[in-house]
Structures are given as C-alpha cells and as structure tokens.
Amino acid sequence: MEQTKALNALEPFLALSKSATSPRAASDLVVQATSAPNTYVFAELLQTPNIQSLRSSPEHASYLTLLEVFAWGTWADYKTHAGLPKLSAPQHQKLLLLSLLPLSHAHATLTYARLQAALDLPTPRALEELITTAIYAGLLTATLDPAHSRVSVTSIAPLRDLAPGALPRLQSTLAAWSGRCDAALADLDAQVERVKRDAVQREKLRRKRERAVEVQTSDERGAGKRAPEMRGGGYGDDDAMDIDQEGGSGRATRGAKKGAAPSGLGGAGRRLGQ
C-alpha cells in the first residue's frame, strides 16, 4: 500500500521529466521531486533519459548524485559527498525519514543515542518528533519508550530503491538465509526422528513390563490354588472336618447299638418270666 502511494506521488514528476530537456530544468525537477510529500521512491525518475543527461553536465551533475542519495542513500551518505546542493527543510526532513528505514533494518530495538548520532539530531525531543512523523507517514510501525530511551520497531515499509550492485549482495544474503533455514529444518527432522525412536523404545519397554506383570500375577494365582491341597493332604480343611464328624457319628451309633442289646434281652426275659 505504501509503495502504491509513493509510486502514485511520483507519477507527475515522471510526466514532467519528458519535457525537462535542459540540465537546469532537470535539476529543478529533482529538487521538486525530493521535496514533495509522499515521494519516497525515485528509481523510475532516475532512469529517465533527461535526468540521466545530468551526468554529462559539470554544473548540474551533483543533482543526479543528490537524487541517488534520496533513492538508496542516507543522511550519512549525503554528508560524505562533497559539493552536493544544500537541502531545503522539506528535503532534509525527508532524507532523515528515509534514513530511518535502513537503521531500523539493522536493529529491531534502537536507542535514542544511536539514532541521534546517526541523524545528527540535537535532542531526544527532535528524534521523537521525527519517528512520530515516520509512523504517521506509514514508513514505520514502532513504539517509543522515553523512559528507557529506546525505539522498538515492528515493521518497515519497503520503500527504498536498490543501489547498483546491491542485487548480488542481496542474493548472497538470501542464499545464506536459505542455508540457515535448510540447516534448521534438517535439525528439526533429526529431532523428530529421535523423538519417534524414543517413543518406540518406551512403548516396547512398557509392553515388556506389562507382560512381566501378567506372568507374575498368573504364577501367584496358580500357587494360591495349589496351597489348600498341600495343607489337607489332598483334602481341604472342611473336608477333613466332615470326615472326623462322620467317623465320630459312626462310633456313637455303634456304641448305642451295643448298649441297646442287653436292654432288649432283659425285656425278653421278663416276658418269658411272666
């Protein structure tokens, strides 16, 4: 969304570049484009023939360099180039805003001291106003922490152009990042395999223990069934008691029969005597 807005803001200057046939007109167009609100990308303007013709003009070649600084440079780059045109207040503000983007790329959390030194801002208040402007312009999503003099950046708008020769470096950075991702994925795969192997070993051990418990329980039950037979000589306690009682009853019955016989004989003698 920010890119579309910035490209739309640049469209009028692209149209004007077709008529800026003189170095003076082309340099004036550079000043207008870098001062206008919402213009944060300049690659297409740089590529136009009339702007590129400034390179062959000794008097106005510095305006082409200035536009390159706005396209992919920073405030520090502007200071290192001698002989660049003096910036107006809107140009200065815009270049500081654009310089915040690469600084935020380097560190997610920035200190006030670091930003003030990089942007030559005199006070923390000036820095806070600049960052607030960048947030409202959609360049950054950040949180100010005045108590600890820190700025926490959570997102950055993709609004800077690539400098010449930056593509190979970008490819190298992406290749290194891809290699780290591949290494991380390989490590994760190895960890997953280790977890699976450990799970299989734990399941085998659990089943082995369960079988051992089942065997022990079965042995204890078998021993419990054999114990009463061994104590009764083949019979249980209840069976022995029944046998004893039956034996005692038999002896009592026989004794009773023996005692009854004389009584019977006596009765018979009395009858005979009668």
Side-chain angles (χ1 to χ4, degrees), residues 211-229:
R211 287 194 296 269
V213 170
E214 290 175 357
V215 171
Q216 182 178 1
T217 303
S218 177
D219 291 344
E220 290 176 354
R221 289 176 180 174
K225 290 180 178 179
R226 290 192 299 271
E229 298 178 358

Side-chain angles (χ1 to χ4, degrees), residues 225-239:
K225 290 180 178 179
R226 290 192 299 271
E229 298 178 358
M230 294 175 65
R231 287 196 301 269
Y235 299 99
D237 292 341
D238 294 339
D239 294 337

Side-chain angles (χ1 to χ4, degrees), residues 50-244:
N50 288 333
I51 296 297
Q52 283 295 316
S53 67
L54 290 172
R55 198 179 302 276
S56 60
S57 172
E59 185 179 356
H60 299 93
S62 60
Y63 286 90
L64 177 62
T65 305
L66 179 65
L67 187 59
E68 291 174 345
V69 170
F70 271 84
W72 53 71
T74 63
W75 171 249
D77 296 326
Y78 174 80
K79 292 190 301 179
T80 58
H81 283 85
L84 290 181
K86 185 178 179 179
L87 298 178
S88 63
Q91 285 177 308
H92 183 218
Q93 174 85 347
K94 179 172 292 187
L95 186 56
L96 292 182
L97 290 171
L98 291 172
S99 300
L100 278 174
L101 301 182
L103 289 172
S104 300
H105 270 297
H107 302 277
T109 301
L110 300 167
T111 62
Y112 279 26
R114 176 182 174 81
L115 290 174
Q116 284 182 242
L119 301 175
D120 290 335
L121 293 172
T123 63
R125 178 62 179 173
L127 175 63
E128 291 173 353
E129 290 178 352
L130 180 69
I131 294 174
T132 302
T133 301
I135 293 172
Y136 279 106
L139 302 179
L140 296 174
T141 301
T143 303
L144 292 170
D145 185 3
H148 299 90
S149 298
R150 292 183 301 190
V151 182
S152 298
V153 180
T154 55
S155 67
I156 304 166
L159 292 176
R160 298 311 308 270
D161 298 309
L162 290 175
L167 189 58
R169 290 195 302 271
L170 180 59
Q171 289 175 332
S172 177
T173 301
L174 290 175
W177 174 77
S178 178
R180 290 193 298 270
C181 290
D182 291 340
L185 289 174
D187 184 60
L188 287 174
D189 290 339
Q191 292 183 27
V192 168
E193 290 300 321
R194 285 197 297 270
V195 169
K196 288 181 178 179
R197 288 196 301 269
D198 292 343
V200 170
Q201 292 299 324
R202 286 195 300 270
E203 180 63 17
K204 288 181 179 179
L205 182 60
R206 184 187 67 81
R207 293 181 179 180
K208 185 177 180 180
R209 288 174 178 173
E210 287 182 352
R211 287 194 296 269
V213 170
E214 290 175 357
V215 171
Q216 182 178 1
T217 303
S218 177
D219 291 344
E220 290 176 354
R221 289 176 180 174
K225 290 180 178 179
R226 290 192 299 271
E229 298 178 358
M230 294 175 65
R231 287 196 301 269
Y235 299 99
D237 292 341
D238 294 339
D239 294 337
M241 291 176 65
D242 291 342
I243 292 171
D244 290 340

